Structures are given as structure tokens and as C-alpha cells.
Amino acid sequence: MARIAYEDLTPGRVIDLGKVEVDRDEMVAFAARFDPQPFHLDEEAGRNSVLGGLCASGWFTASLFMRAYVDNVLADSTSQGSPGGNELSWLAPVFPGDVLHFQLEVTGARRSHSRPNLGLVEITGTADRGGDRVLRFSFVGMFGTRDAD
Amino acid sequence: MARIAYEDLTPGRVIDLGKVEVDRDEMVAFAARFDPQPFHLDEEAGRNSVLGGLCASGWFTASLFMRAYVDNVLADSTSQGSPGGNELSWLAPVFPGDVLHFQLEVTGARRSHSRPNLGLVEITGTADRGGDRVLRFSFVGMFGTRDAD
């Protein structure tokens, strides 16, 4: 099958990015390096916080989404990176052992005016734990067009 | 000095979060785990990409910002976490050895209607390399008020 190009990412398309279980040790190690707030490091501090328990740095959850997105889409695509997004929402705390289900939906797509061989794709990525959405990231992905591939 | 509370984070306030040099090994290790795209892993793949060289995952740059924000603000504050943001922009690629200067500006603040002991602070965080802005993240931080502390 041809790799994923701009033409494949049509508005309305939904792509399943699989499930991942949150590993407690990795979650805490990430927080110790990048987000050492007490409720990300320590069980008791988490319980005593508004978050209700030891929970993941939002950047860890976002990074887990990114890995699932790379594995399931970008690794075999014409991706040229991303300029960023207009929504990054941490909707609920994520706890060790949670199983996160990642998914994306294409919400818009247009060719670049200045670089017609490049397409700008609007994507909303999500992470759900059972019926609860815990992460939403709406961003732009840049992909080469198939005619340029 | 009292720890940083909602009342301290008044619109217009700018807080310097210091400088960090991007470590190549850590940058690549982060990408190998969370964002294994060729231009984040390999010098030649980076040179052959639109990004122009081996460069950081945007999530790594954001995570470095977070650490600087924790060290300089959150560690001694009434922070209650963040529901997320409405802009996360990766404005230019970040390369090994780059020295990033992190800063934040408070752009808005109001008390929560439902929880008067909580304040919602609008913050724009940035990373600059020399005169070039490489990251902008506009988000909401939740902070306890001093009268509730």
C-alpha cells in the first residue's frame, strides 16, 4: 500500500491509533525530569491535591499520543512536521494503569498556497479512558501531496 | 517570601524562566521513545528534510519549557494544575546545542465563579533562541488564592 499522503487525509476520516497502558514507573520518571510537581511524583501528594491521586504530567499523556500517531500514521507517510495546534486540553487526570485509547479525526484540509506540493491537514487527536475523554489536541499536520511524492 | 498565589499573577507580569542548552543525547532519546520520526533521530534524515537538520521533537521543547516553569514558578506556588491551552506553536526547529531562553507573560486573570478560592490565570509561555522565537504556548493555569492559602 502506498504511504499516507495529503490526498488520503480527507475531512471526516477517523484513524484508530490503538491503546496504551500507562506505566507508573515511566510516568513518574517523566515527571521527575520535566514536570516535578508533587501530584505527579508522590501518591500521598496526589491524593491530597484536587487531582485526586498520583497522576501523569499532561506532557507525558501528549507524548504517548504522539508515539501512537507516529506508529500508526506518520511512520509511513509524507509528513513534513507540524507548526502546532490551537487546542491542547487536559480534560481529566490520567492515572497509572489507565488504558488510553488514541484516535484522530481529520477536520479540514487544504493545499498550501505558497507550496502547492504541500497540504495542510487539520487534525483532532484524542485519548479516551473507557468513556472518558482525557486529552484533546487540535493541530495542523503538513503532508506532501501524492503527486509530489 | 510567600509562595506565588493567584494574586501575584497579574496581567502584564513577565517572569523570566532562565536558559537551558538543548542536550543532543537527551533530545534524541526523547524522540526515540515518543516521536521517532527520522528528522528527530538521524542527522542525515534531518538535513534531507524541510526542517534542515536533526531537530527536537516539539514535545521535547515543550517539556523543557515545563521544567523551567516548574522550577521558577510552580515549585513554590499554589498551583492546582492546568486544563490546557489554546495555542501551542512550534515556530522554528530546535537543534542540539541551542540555548533556549524561557519566559512567561500573564495575559489575563479572573477568579473562578464556581470556586472563589481558585483563580484562572491566562499565561503565554515562550522559548527564544537568540532573537528567534521557537515555541509559544498559551494556556490557563489554576492557582489557589492567597486568602485561601
Side-chain angles (χ1 to χ4, degrees):
Chain A
M1 205 178 88
R3 60 189 189 146
I4 296 172
Y6 168 71
E7 288 85 345
D8 301 307
L9 298 166
T10 49
R13 182 165 179 192
V14 172
I15 302 178
D16 194 300
L17 305 178
K19 293 182 178 178
V20 166
E21 182 172 337
V22 176
D23 181 83
R24 180 198 175 97
D25 290 347
E26 186 182 32
M27 184 191 100
V28 172
F30 185 102
R33 170 64 184 100
F34 295 114
D35 194 353
Q37 301 185 76
F39 39 75
H40 295 323
L41 296 173
D42 180 75
E43 194 70 61
E44 191 179 340
R47 273 199 307 274
N48 293 334
S49 77
V50 291
L51 298 164
L54 173 67
C55 60
S57 169
W59 300 107
F60 181 64
T61 309
S63 295
L64 291 177
F65 165 82
M66 188 69 206
R67 176 58 189 260
Y69 176 41
V70 172
D71 284 349
N72 290 280
V73 176
L74 298 183
D76 192 26
S77 78
T78 61
S79 174
Q80 308 265 310
S82 167
N86 61 11
E87 183 192 356
L88 176 61
S89 294
W90 295 302
L91 301 164
V94 169
F95 302 107
D98 281 356
V99 175
L100 302 182
H101 181 201
F102 299 109
Q103 193 168 274
L104 68 76
E105 180 172 355
V106 178
T107 59
R110 68 172 179 82
R111 279 183 189 249
S112 162
H113 297 303
S114 55
R115 298 170 58 199
N117 293 335
L118 192 73
L120 305 176
V121 182
E122 294 170 30
I123 295 170
T124 296
T126 51
D128 294 321
R129 174 187 50 213
D132 292 328
R133 183 141 294 172
V134 298
L135 177 79
R136 188 169 51 236
F137 179 47
S138 295
F139 62 101
V140 172
M142 300 187 292
F143 292 85
T145 59
R146 175 150 294 124
D147 48 44
D149 195 20
Chain B
M1 206 176 87
R3 59 188 188 146
I4 296 172
Y6 168 72
E7 288 84 346
D8 301 308
L9 297 167
T10 49
R13 183 166 178 191
V14 172
I15 302 179
D16 194 301
L17 305 177
K19 293 182 178 177
V20 167
E21 183 172 336
V22 176
D23 181 82
R24 180 198 176 96
D25 290 345
E26 186 182 31
M27 184 190 99
V28 172
F30 185 102
R33 171 63 184 103
F34 295 114
D35 194 352
Q37 299 186 77
F39 40 75
H40 294 323
L41 296 173
D42 180 74
E43 195 69 63
E44 191 177 340
R47 272 199 308 273
N48 293 335
S49 77
V50 291
L51 298 164
L54 173 67
C55 60
S57 168
W59 300 106
F60 181 65
T61 309
S63 295
L64 291 176
F65 165 81
M66 189 69 207
R67 176 60 188 259
Y69 176 41
V70 173
D71 284 351
N72 290 279
V73 176
L74 298 183
D76 192 26
S77 79
T78 61
S79 174
Q80 308 266 310
S82 167
N86 61 11
E87 183 192 356
L88 175 61
S89 294
W90 296 302
L91 302 163
V94 169
F95 302 107
D98 281 357
V99 175
L100 302 183
H101 181 199
F102 298 109
Q103 194 168 273
L104 68 77
E105 179 172 356
V106 178
T107 60
R110 67 173 180 82
R111 278 183 189 248
S112 164
H113 297 303
S114 55
R115 296 169 59 198
N117 292 334
L118 192 73
L120 305 176
V121 183
E122 293 171 31
I123 295 171
T124 295
T126 52
D128 295 320
R129 175 188 48 215
D132 293 328
R133 182 142 295 174
V134 299
L135 177 79
R136 188 168 52 236
F137 178 46
S138 295
F139 63 100
V140 171
M142 300 185 293
F143 291 84
T145 58
R146 176 150 295 124
D147 46 47
D149 197 20

